[in-house]
Amino acid sequence: MTDVFLQTRGLTCERDWRVLFSELDLQLRRGQMLQVSGPNGSGKTSLLRLLAGLMQPTEGEILYQGTPLGRQRHELARHSLWIGHAAGIKGLLTPEENLAWLTALQYGASTDAIAQALEAVGLKGFEDVPCHTLSAGQQRRVGLARLHLPQAPALWILDEPFTALDKKAVAQLEGHLAAHCERGGMVIFTTHHELQQRPANFFELELGQQSA
Amino acid sequence: MNRVFFLLLVREARLMFRRPGELVNPLVFFAIVICLFPLAVGPETQLLRTLSPGLVWVAALLAVLLSLDGLFRSDFEDGSLEQWVVSPHPLGVLVLAKVLAHWLFSGLPLVLLSPVLALMLGLPADRIPVLLASLLLGTPILSLLGAVGAALTVGLKRGGILLTLLILPLYIPVLILGSGVLQAALQGLPTAGYLLWMGSMLTLAITLTPLAIAAGIKISVGE
């Protein structure tokens, strides 16, 4: 039981009187990677936001290591990392300042670690420019640089992480996510893109089939 | 936790100084409103002096209100608020730092500018300390209360009017006490009672509003 990190029981999500998904049972163990797929508006983002603890489910419950999320919110917050459509990057701040603040919110990171993370996503030389002058793909990379920090938490919840990235960056990110799972981490993400590198424990959840 | 509080203040300060226009906006508004009154009412010293407590306070209140609409807007749009909600730190502490930063960069300059404008309206110079005390105690209450409304309306496309409607009734006691203390000072009456009232309201606001602001943000982000 305890090796199940995150579990949902009878999870139902309703938005504007429309049922997005219902009675969803899901289990995530260490080392697993979950791709949530489905057509636009099928509730992929909503599911991720529910799991990250940003939204309350209409019905059903989310269990964190066997205990309902309500009492475990703090624990989940310490062991998960959420990057949404908007990654919380401030256009007026430099990539370095953005990362320093976002990591301070969770566990803190040294300036060296931040510089290395930025180098890992190919933003070396852009540390000191305001983010609004960067391209969309580069801004995406600033957010994703958090995944390259040494203290990154176990569970990554990523909403469309591949958006705006170039081919090389997509391949690199795929490799990075797979490596994270191989080390015992977990990734939940949404994408419309077909993954080339999959870890052993990959599984896919197709939303939007119940209603169709 | 203290570290995050401090870092958030630094972050807000950086953002503010890279976009100084927003810093100046409420100040210009405050100054213009007060400068227009002598032109419209006429330059009679006695009349302006009688009106000055109300004028300064109404102008300060509107200036704060004007600056509140955008308090959480950009953080909401770029996903920062989501990161605050999922962070292990208490959201109440984060929003308190945010509001404190907002007050330091919009409320405090207003307080510092007010003596100049009050003198222009003919408020006697020996009443300036009372004016400063009332605004120092009053404007943080305005910022804190307004932040509750801003947190609730941040997810709406046009939250401005709704924010005003929600918040103005709550501002009225502060307005009455704030201008009341100046009226009393002008008539030579003791002012300590009013100021103590405002001090207790400020204490209450600092303790309770962060909880309400945090709840409002959770609702707005969870939509």
Side-chain angles (χ1 to χ4, degrees), chain A residues 123-145:
Chain A
L123 284 176
K124 193 175 168 59
F126 291 97
E127 292 96 340
D128 293 329
V129 276
C131 282
H132 65 82
T133 60
L134 299 178
S135 75
Q138 284 173 321
Q139 290 191 26
R140 193 81 217 162
R141 289 167 187 225
V142 177
L144 293 170

Side-chain angles (χ1 to χ4, degrees), chain B residues 143-156:
Chain B
S143 288
L144 284 163
L145 286 175
V148 179
L152 276 171
T153 54
V154 69
L156 306 174

Side-chain angles (χ1 to χ4, degrees), chain B residues 173-212:
Chain B
V174 189
L175 177 68
I176 292 175
L177 280 171
S179 54
V181 59
L182 277 180
Q183 298 279 13
L186 275 180
Q187 290 159 13
L189 298 170
T191 53
Y194 288 98
L195 291 176
L196 288 175
W197 260 109
M198 294 187 78
S200 48
M201 280 169 67
L202 176 59
T203 319
L204 199 68
I206 291 180
T207 351
L208 293 181
T209 53
L211 303 174

Side-chain angles (χ1 to χ4, degrees), chain A residues 49 82 88 90 92 105, chain B residues 18 75 78 82-83 89 221:
Chain A
R49 290 170 67 90
W82 155 259
K90 281 262 167 237
L92 286 167
L105 266 175
Chain B
R18 286 182 197 173
D75 285 323
D78 64 24
E82 289 178 1
Q83 297 296 337
H89 297 281
V221 168

Side-chain angles (χ1 to χ4, degrees), chain A residues 3-71:
Chain A
D3 65 327
V4 178
F5 190 83
L6 205 63
Q7 187 183 5
T8 70
R9 243 189 239 155
L11 202 65
T12 300
C13 178
E14 221 178 270
R15 290 200 77 170
D16 304 323
W17 293 284
R18 215 163 52 82
V19 179
L20 291 177
F21 50 82
S22 60
E23 298 295 320
L24 188 72
D25 293 321
L26 197 75
Q27 283 190 353
L28 190 74
R29 291 162 205 275
R30 287 197 174 271
Q32 283 187 322
M33 179 190 270
L34 166 64
Q35 176 179 356
V36 183
S37 51
N40 296 131
S42 59
K44 299 188 295 293
T45 298
S46 295
L47 175 62
L48 259 55
R49 290 170 67 90
L50 281 171
L51 293 176
L54 281 168
M55 266 167 57
Q56 297 299 321
T58 318
E59 253 175 68
E61 56 179 357
I62 300 168
L63 304 176
Y64 170 78
Q65 299 199 333
T67 335
L69 193 57
R71 270 171 276 153

Side-chain angles (χ1 to χ4, degrees), chain B residues 82-171:
Chain B
E82 289 178 1
Q83 297 296 337
W84 298 13
V85 173
V86 296
S87 107
H89 297 281
L91 189 54
V93 174
L94 296 175
V95 294
L96 188 61
K98 172 85 189 177
V99 178
L100 175 63
H102 174 259
W103 179 76
L104 281 177
F105 301 124
S106 71
L108 192 60
L110 220 73
V111 177
L112 296 178
L113 183 68
S114 65
V116 184
L117 298 172
L119 282 177
M120 200 178 74
L121 291 176
L123 193 80
D126 57 342
R127 305 291 193 275
I128 296 291
V130 180
L131 171 76
L132 284 176
S134 80
L135 283 173
L136 269 180
L137 290 170
T139 46
I141 310 180
L142 299 180
S143 288
L144 284 163
L145 286 175
V148 179
L152 276 171
T153 54
V154 69
L156 306 174
K157 283 276 174 294
R158 290 174 188 274
I161 294 289
L162 191 60
L163 173 71
T164 313
L165 287 175
L166 275 174
I167 292 306
L168 266 187
L170 299 174
Y171 274 5

